[in-house]
Amino acid sequence: IITLNSEEKMVIRFANPDQTLIREFQDSQYDVASCQPGEYLDLVVTITQYQNLINHGYDPIITQTEEQMKANLRSTRDLAGYRTYDEVYDELLLLSYLYPDICELHNLGDSWGKIYYEAGNDNYLNYNQEIWGLKVSDNVAVEEDEPSIYFFGAHHAREPISTEVTMTILNHVVDNYGTDPTITDNVDNSQIWFVPIANPNGHTIVTDEMDIWWRKNIRDNNENGSLDEEYNYGYPDGVDTNRNYSFQWGPVGTSDSWESQVYHGPEPLSEPENQIIAELFDAHHFVAGISYHSYGELVLHPYGYNEDISAPDHDALSELCVDMAEQIPSLVYGNYTPQESWELYACMGTLDDFAYGSKGIFSYTIELATQFIPPAYQVEQICTDNLDAALTLLNRQNYALLKGHITSEASREPLVGTVFIDGIDDTGEFREPYRSNQQFGSYYRLLLPENYTVTFSAYGYDSITQENVQISPTEPTILDATLNPVPFTSLSGTVYDAETSEPLEGCRIEILHTPLETFYSDETGAFEFPEIPVGEYQIALSAAGYSALVEDIQLSENENIIDFYLEISDIESFENGELGDEWYTSGQENWFIDDSEAYDGFYSARSGMIGDNQSSTLSISLNVISPGYISFFKKVSCEDDPIHDNYDYLTFLIDDVEIERWDGEIDWSQEAFNVTTVQHTFQWRYQKDGYVSSGSDCIWIDYIDLPEYDNTSSNDAEIPFKSKLVNNYPNPFNPATTIEYFVAQPGKVRIDIFNIKGELVKTFKEEYLPAGNHKVIWQGEDNSGRDVSSGIYIGMMKQADRSNCLKLVLIK
């Protein structure tokens, strides 16, 4: 039997904290229990930590002691105290026996404890547990064409009140089926899923009083085959399961450290407990749900992964959030407080953001009560007080809802189609497109009662648009869509080197925004997509050492043969998907190649996921042989705090001398700096302080134009300077851009502009120029003075028998 012995803890409160105090205690060594800016900041601390704070002049009050919380667990009431895992399972099993027509118990999958135990490790005998879900619906054994609703408890172990509320809602629904007409109607016309304990191993640690402060699951991070006790204020084992979901998984409000209570795991959905919930979402068509937590008396809605962000469905999400909050009495504020999740604090990898961002589910977190484990005399009242809000969410499917089916005109079979609503799906931060389900082709969109323009589309079918769709405030609005298939055709061609006309092998070719698999050109440069619907597409091509190409194409019913020419590039754009040998990464976490953000092509370099007071550096050393520039594109997403000298920021250094720094939220933008002819080391360093984290808490670098260099020789005098195009700014541009170039030796120089097909667009007058830096302005016109269209253009500088190129992007 495993026993955990750790130093006694407590919850302390700082009243009326200012931002400076909040930042100070958002250091990773502190366990933030709850926070309401301007009202209170609660921390979980050991006795030693508490005494250290007192010795340093702080004066917090103690609000929850370990003895009090254990007493709360032990106390009895009509519901027999806080339920254990076994008691919850027995009750779920009993309900499935008593109400077999509407209740069906499902073993959703195994916890880490069961996985370890079944692998032969008896240390996890007490944690040989599954995650159980009870489905409530008429015809409960059948997967019907109905929306699903969820109620989840105990993602976090030290929040057992969440299990009690979930079980109370379940019993209320079952007890009132057949007598309450609204509940009966909702059970008959939807599938309601109750998962009272989403983290059974952690929940058991708390309810068995082994460690009532445990938050995470019990992943064996150090692989020592045993459950480790808290050590040096940290927890070596476990992952915060409400930081491990895959939508916007990342560093904000989380940690890469095992010891942290908000450790987000080694990768998204690494935990079996999270995989189980993700699989449940994939198997059923969920529309809305609540995950219960403690504490704070709050009702939260997406998004929460970053500060100052808004979901596309913000208004409808907020309206239901307010409706629920107004129905839950508060012990402190009158009623619970409704707000966006990030307003509490920003964090990534949460259930709500995952459910909404990847599935469009109206997902909510309700932070119950005013402490992790309320005393038993409060529990029944807290559970009862939350019934009306839960029933409000359950009933939301019955009004201001657009629903219907998407089917094929030819086969009458259901389609997985996209439902796009103007004014909603083109607003706010990114969310995966809302799609109908595969089995029935049905869709459900919770909206406000207004007029909308709705477009239905599916791969291989003509889209249709319905205008002036009026959403009823009192009942669902039904709108079916039947789509006509388009004929299929083929696309083939060859990819060439634009300079040599030699075929390119291994070029990545992708038809964007389609389910078609990525193709790579063969040894002859050939590629083929044998079956593709007729229509307009964007095709993207990239190969190491070449400028990426994205082009619009129109495919007809006839055979489509299109060849593409890629330009050799001196630009480092990381399109081979890895950092080359010439790059060096250092600091607490290495830089890595990221395919989620790119200025050019598919990849960029991203700083490592560091913690407080850490850094991540990318550097390259070059023997520069020609005076000129180094330019690069950067994207920054981090804390913006000019108050402190050492906040989070990106700094660019040449030979360990800081040239410039950036912080805050900066979209892709270009920087350029003069470079002399000498050996140089260029560094991009992301540096964090010990205060707050904000944004994505990282930076990206892409499309680096390095100065002319030769690392094969150390004798600078023997290497001749080279003329070259240096930079153009702005880029992208509209309507004009300035092209800068360096002439190494006096002579005739010509600048040409080509389109992406290699056709000459504009020639600047060939003229004799002295050595040095020069510039020319291109107004985006051709040789006839006509404006050219948006697109990618290639600038080429020629002097004697030498030439080099620069990519120009015109956006109108």
Side-chain angles (χ1 to χ4, degrees):
I1 298 175
I2 301 172
T3 60
L4 301 179
N5 299 301
S6 57
E7 185 179 1
E8 188 172 321
K9 298 187 181 70
M10 65 188 75
V11 176
I12 61 172
R13 171 164 294 186
F14 295 91
N16 305 313
D18 58 21
Q19 286 298 321
T20 301
L21 185 69
I22 292 174
R23 287 174 182 146
E24 182 175 353
F25 288 106
Q26 284 179 324
D27 189 290
S28 60
Q29 67 175 301
Y30 290 101
D31 183 354
V32 177
S34 184
C35 178
Q36 281 283 13
E39 296 184 21
Y40 66 82
L41 170 68
D42 287 0
L43 305 177
V44 177
V45 297
T46 65
I47 293 175
T48 300
Q49 286 177 312
Y50 172 70
Q51 191 59 54
N52 287 338
L53 291 171
I54 297 297
N55 293 340
H56 283 81
Y58 294 99
D59 189 26
I61 61 172
I62 299 172
T63 61
Q64 302 170 54
T65 68
E66 191 157 319
E67 182 179 354
Q68 289 170 339
M69 291 178 68
K70 287 181 177 179
N72 292 345
L73 277 172
R74 298 186 188 118
S75 298
T76 60
R77 59 186 173 88
D78 292 341
L79 294 180
Y82 284 93
R83 295 169 173 89
T84 66
Y85 171 84
D86 288 338
E87 289 171 339
V88 168
Y89 170 72
D90 289 343
E91 191 170 342
L92 295 177
L93 188 62
L94 179 62
L95 288 172
S96 68
Y97 284 147
L98 293 176
Y99 304 96
D101 292 337
I102 62 168
C103 292
E104 185 176 61
L105 187 58
H106 290 255
N107 181 346
L108 300 179
D110 297 340
S111 66
W112 268 128
K114 183 172 183 179
I115 293 169
Y116 294 146
Y117 177 72
E118 291 197 335
N121 190 335
D122 289 342
N123 285 332
Y124 294 92
L125 172 62
N126 290 347
Y127 305 98
N128 179 24
Q129 298 164 325
E130 299 91 358
I131 294 176
W132 294 94
L134 192 75
K135 176 185 175 184
V136 178
S137 183
D138 71 334
N139 302 318
V140 69
V142 180
E143 182 66 19
E144 295 186 286
D145 185 10
E146 296 175 339
S148 292
I149 310 293
Y150 70 78
F151 296 97
F152 295 162
H155 266 77
H156 290 150
R158 64 192 181 192
E159 301 168 12
I161 183 64
S162 61
T163 296
E164 301 306 311
V165 170
T166 304
M167 291 298 294
T168 299
I169 298 164
L170 166 58
N171 278 284
H172 183 83
V173 169
V174 171
D175 289 345
N176 288 275
Y177 179 74
T179 57
D180 185 305
T182 302
I183 289 177
T184 302
D185 180 70
N186 284 326
V187 170
D188 288 346
N189 293 287
S190 61
Q191 301 180 138
I192 313 168
W193 285 87
F194 295 89
V195 182
I197 306 178
N199 174 12
N201 303 153
H203 181 270
T204 297
I205 290 174
V206 172
T207 56
D208 284 355
E209 299 183 24
M210 294 180 63
D211 186 337
I212 62 170
W213 305 102
W214 198 278
R215 173 185 173 98
K216 303 184 286 183
N217 67 6
I218 61 169
R219 180 188 182 93
D220 186 16
N221 290 318
N222 55 14
E223 298 182 351
N224 66 354
S226 180
L227 185 60
D228 296 312
E229 66 184 43
E230 179 264 342
Y231 174 74
N232 195 26
Y233 314 138
Y235 285 82
D237 282 336
V239 167
D240 184 342
T241 57
N242 202 38
R243 301 292 186 272
N244 186 243
Y245 288 100
S246 56
F247 184 85
Q248 291 292 344
W249 180 87
V252 177
T254 69
S255 175
D256 291 328
S257 170
W258 295 346
E259 287 77 15
S260 173
Q261 288 279 41
V262 291
Y263 174 47
H264 60 181
E267 61 186 8
L269 290 178
S270 61
E271 305 312 288
E273 296 88 353
N274 294 81
Q275 295 165 18
I276 285 166
I277 300 300
E279 290 165 2
L280 185 68
F281 285 167
D282 287 339
H284 309 282
H285 199 159
F286 284 92
V287 175
I290 299 173
S291 178
Y292 291 99
H293 289 256
S294 62
Y295 58 95
E297 297 192 324
L298 304 169
V299 182
L300 308 175
H301 71 81
Y303 279 127
Y305 66 85
N306 211 332
E307 294 183 353
D308 297 314
I309 55 174
S310 181
D313 291 281
H314 172 273
D315 292 349
L317 282 164
S318 178
E319 181 184 66
L320 180 54
C321 184
V322 171
D323 287 347
M324 289 193 291
E326 289 177 345
Q327 297 180 70
I328 310 175
S330 164
L331 297 176
V332 179
Y333 303 106
N335 292 102
Y336 276 32
T337 301
Q339 60 187 50
E340 291 176 275
S341 293
W342 65 263
E343 293 181 281
L344 178 60
Y345 53 80
C347 59
M348 290 180 157
T350 65
L351 172 70
D352 285 355
D353 282 359
F354 171 73
Y356 175 75
S358 63
K359 300 290 185 180
I361 302 168
F362 272 40
S363 49
Y364 296 87
T365 287
I366 295 185
E367 295 280 359
L368 303 160
T370 58
Q371 53 185 302
F372 288 130
I373 305 175
Y377 73 84
Q378 291 183 0
V379 173
E380 189 167 6
Q381 188 64 51
I382 292 169
C383 293
T384 303
D385 286 346
N386 272 271
L387 277 173
D388 286 345
L391 297 177
T392 294
L393 177 125
L394 181 59
N395 196 54
R396 181 59 179 84
Q397 61 184 302
N398 294 317
Y399 63 93
L401 171 77
L402 179 66
K403 70 176 186 177
H405 295 82
I406 305 177
T407 56
S408 168
E409 173 69 32
S411 67
R412 302 297 179 181
E413 293 295 318
L415 293 176
V416 177
T418 298
V419 183
F420 183 91
I421 300 181
D422 287 357
I424 293 181
D425 294 326
D426 50 0
T427 65
E429 301 296 326
F430 172 77
R431 186 201 66 219
E432 290 289 342
Y434 192 98
R435 295 184 175 91
S436 57
N437 71 349
Q438 186 170 16
Q439 184 174 359
F440 303 107
S442 55
Y443 72 91
Y444 307 90
R445 292 294 303 265
L446 299 175
L447 300 166
L448 295 180
E450 298 175 2
N451 274 317
Y452 297 96
T453 297
V454 185
T455 299
F456 301 94
S457 60
Y459 176 72
Y461 291 80
D462 282 327
S463 62
I464 60 173
T465 298
Q466 181 74 45
E467 297 181 347
N468 296 318
V469 177
Q470 178 65 50
I471 302 302
S472 169
T474 58
E475 61 183 2
T477 300
I478 300 174
L479 181 61
D480 295 325
T482 303
L483 304 185
N484 289 307
V486 299
F488 276 67
T489 185
S490 64
L491 169 64
S492 61
T494 305
V495 185
Y496 295 99
D497 180 306
E499 184 174 342
T500 66
S501 296
E502 293 292 323
L504 281 180
E505 180 181 2
C507 176
R508 172 188 170 124
I509 305 149
E510 183 179 4
I511 309 297
L512 301 179
H513 314 302
T514 74
L516 293 172
E517 293 185 2
T518 298
F519 196 93
Y520 290 85
S521 58
D522 63 19
E523 65 276 6
T524 68
F527 68 91
E528 182 179 15
F529 294 90
E531 289 192 359
I532 182 171
V534 168
E536 297 181 0
Y537 297 93
Q538 276 192 320
I539 187 170
L541 300 93
S542 62
Y546 292 82
S547 295
L549 173 65
V550 178
E551 191 167 302
D552 294 328
I553 57 174
Q554 174 71 52
L555 301 184
S556 66
E557 293 188 43
N558 300 322
E559 184 180 18
N560 299 274
I561 302 175
I562 306 176
D563 296 335
F564 297 93
Y565 293 81
L566 298 189
E567 297 284 346
I568 295 176
S569 174
D570 294 330
I571 302 295
E572 175 57 82
S573 198
F574 308 107
E575 290 307 299
N576 60 353
E578 60 184 26
L579 288 172
D581 293 339
E582 67 274 21
W583 293 95
Y584 177 72
T585 178
S586 59
Q588 280 74 23
E589 294 291 340
N590 290 337
W591 283 58
F592 60 94
I593 299 301
D594 186 9
D595 62 359
S596 67
E597 286 283 353
Y599 169 76
D600 174 72
F602 299 93
Y603 302 101
S604 66
R606 174 175 168 165
S607 59
M609 291 183 285
I610 56 175
D612 292 337
N613 299 309
Q614 294 183 339
S615 65
S616 179
T617 300
L618 180 69
S619 60
I620 187 170
S621 294
L622 302 176
N623 184 27
V624 178
I625 61 175
S626 175
Y629 293 85
I630 181 172
S631 68
F632 56 90
F633 281 82
K634 69 184 186 307
K635 181 172 182 176
V636 180
S637 182
C638 68
E639 175 190 5
D640 179 7
D641 185 3
I643 297 175
H644 298 89
D645 293 332
N646 296 310
Y647 49 93
D648 305 348
Y649 58 89
L650 161 67
T651 182
F652 176 64
L653 306 96
I654 300 179
D655 303 328
D656 291 323
V657 177
E658 181 178 304
I659 306 302
E660 195 165 339
R661 67 168 63 177
W662 304 269
D663 63 87
E665 295 291 335
I666 305 174
D667 204 356
W668 286 112
S669 55
Q670 190 177 37
E671 303 294 337
F673 302 98
N674 290 318
V675 177
T676 58
T677 55
V678 71
Q679 183 80 22
H680 287 297
T681 297
F682 305 101
Q683 291 180 314
W684 294 262
R685 179 183 300 157
Y686 182 48
Q687 179 78 43
K688 284 180 59 60
D689 68 354
Y691 289 90
V692 303
S693 295
S694 185
S696 298
D697 203 19
C698 65
I699 58 98
W700 294 265
I701 298 295
D702 199 5
Y703 206 72
I704 304 172
D705 190 358
L706 298 169
E708 199 76 29
Y709 70 94
D710 186 349
N711 281 2
T712 64
S713 172
S714 60
N715 187 351
D716 294 347
E718 296 177 357
I719 303 172
F721 292 168
K722 298 178 181 179
S723 300
K724 66 175 293 187
L725 287 172
V726 173
N727 183 34
N728 75 292
Y729 58 88
N731 193 34
F733 69 96
N734 179 23
T737 187
T738 299
I739 302 171
E740 295 186 338
Y741 55 100
F742 173 75
V743 177
Q745 297 177 347
K748 287 186 176 181
V749 177
R750 193 174 96 183
I751 306 294
D752 292 325
I753 308 293
F754 297 85
N755 64 23
I756 201 65
K757 297 179 181 179
E759 300 168 339
L760 180 65
V761 172
K762 175 71 174 179
T763 296
F764 292 92
K765 180 181 179 181
E766 185 174 17
E767 57 184 328
Y768 185 92
L769 294 173
N773 294 313
H774 300 271
K775 64 180 64 176
V776 66
I777 298 176
W778 182 37
Q779 300 285 352
E781 82 286 354
D782 62 16
N783 283 327
S784 300
R786 296 171 298 190
D787 291 340
V788 300
S789 61
S790 297
I792 299 173
Y793 293 85
I794 306 299
M796 179 177 290
M797 172 184 175
K798 293 183 178 179
Q799 184 181 26
D801 60 349
R802 293 182 55 82
S803 65
N804 82 301
C805 300
L806 186 70
K807 185 169 80 171
L808 317 167
V809 181
L810 173 59
I811 297 178
K812 294 186 175 180

